[in-house]
Amino acid sequence: RKEVEQDPGPFNVPEGATVAFNCTYSNSASQSFFWYRQDCRKEPKLLMSVYSSGNEDGRFTAQLNRASQYISLLIRDSKLSDSATYLCVVNNEKLTFGTGTRLTIIP
Amino acid sequence: NAGVTQTPKFRILKIGQSMTLQCTQDMNHNYMYWYRQDPGMGLKLIYYSVGAGITDKGEVPNGYNVSRSTTEDFPLRLELAAPSQTSVYFCASSYRGTSGRGEQFFGPGTRLTVL
């Protein structure tokens, strides 16, 4: 089993819709969790951390379920500028990156 | 602040050639990392450093070497390039290790092709 698994997509979603991604991780001792965003042919950038109680940043909501070992990212009212690849990242003394979920917002 | 800078942006190497990928950060970060990203794959850690003079192997170190003589610079050396090293290479830095916020700042990447 991979350390971090994501649905690669692609997800093609109309503008204004809500979209959710899940990510599962194999190491139950994982300490912290993040979502990074990577635009085409660019470097990854931190989108948000994921806290146990769940957290929200504008249109973005991240959730963590330690019992089931998955994290999720919800994007509401999606914009064209949200088109990117979203990387699930898990901290086990080093950051382990998922392969990413590709999202395209359609006008 | 320029952040993390990498040179070159692109490079084509012949099998068996050597080269050094340069990485510099001006954020006074102690931690620096080298990753490679292959199409459809996650980033794989090649080497990392927790401070000047200290380096450690990551997940895929074979075929690479690093040095960290200053806080700012963390060059990656490829000896005897092989087609399997065709990839996009990202350098990153962070203020603290992964026990902190976990935010790593990435450079723009170097696209390397070995033919």
Side-chain angles (χ1 to χ4, degrees):
Chain A
R1 185 181 171 186
K2 285 185 183 177
E3 285 189 70
V4 179
E5 287 202 73
Q6 293 184 251
D7 182 343
F11 284 60
N12 298 315
V13 172
E15 194 174 4
T18 296
V19 60
F21 313 130
N22 284 336
C23 163
T24 58
Y25 60 95
S26 60
N27 187 343
S28 59
S30 298
Q31 300 157 1
S32 49
F33 309 88
F34 312 92
W35 285 102
Y36 274 68
R37 170 192 169 129
Q38 186 172 23
D39 293 309
C40 188
R41 300 178 76 84
K42 297 285 189 181
E43 71 272 24
K45 291 183 180 178
L46 180 67
L47 177 67
M48 60 195 301
S49 302
V50 186
Y51 302 122
S52 297
S53 53
N55 49 298
E56 195 173 296
D57 183 1
R59 297 181 293 108
F60 298 83
T61 300
Q63 298 272 351
L64 167 64
N65 185 320
R66 282 194 183 270
S68 302
Q69 293 180 214
Y70 79 82
I71 68 174
S72 64
L73 177 67
L74 181 80
I75 305 175
R76 290 182 299 279
D77 187 25
S78 52
K79 312 288 184 194
L80 296 175
S81 57
D82 295 333
S83 296
T85 297
Y86 290 83
L87 307 175
C88 173
V89 184
V90 174
N91 176 13
N92 299 314
E93 298 301 325
K94 64 174 178 64
L95 295 187
T96 300
F97 289 77
T99 54
T101 297
R102 194 164 149 201
L103 172 67
T104 301
I105 306 300
I106 304 165
Chain B
N1 280 354
V4 180
T5 56
Q6 290 182 239
T7 56
K9 285 189 170 53
F10 306 93
R11 184 73 185 267
I12 298 174
L13 281 182
K14 292 183 180 177
I15 294 171
Q17 285 186 320
S18 303
M19 77 164 294
T20 299
L21 283 66
Q22 302 291 346
C23 175
T24 300
Q25 54 93 7
D26 62 359
M27 297 176 282
N28 202 32
H29 286 169
N30 285 327
Y31 294 76
M32 295 188 75
Y33 315 83
W34 274 106
Y35 293 92
R36 59 178 288 173
Q37 186 175 36
D38 300 322
M41 304 292 286
L43 286 104
K44 301 293 184 186
L45 183 64
I46 305 171
Y47 270 96
Y48 67 100
S49 169
V50 302
I54 305 168
T55 61
D56 267 304
K57 294 179 180 178
E59 190 179 351
V60 289
N62 291 345
Y64 306 95
N65 275 301
V66 293
S67 59
R68 184 95 184 270
S69 55
T70 66
T71 300
E72 295 78 18
D73 300 306
F74 190 40
L76 178 72
R77 178 85 179 158
L78 277 73
E79 305 282 2
L80 298 174
S84 60
Q85 293 178 303
T86 293
S87 190
V88 181
Y89 291 84
F90 289 104
C91 178
S93 71
S94 64
Y95 176 62
R96 290 180 290 187
T98 53
S99 59
R101 268 192 72 212
E103 180 169 16
Q104 293 186 4
F105 296 84
F106 284 79
T110 294
R111 295 182 179 279
L112 176 67
T113 302
V114 182
L115 299 174

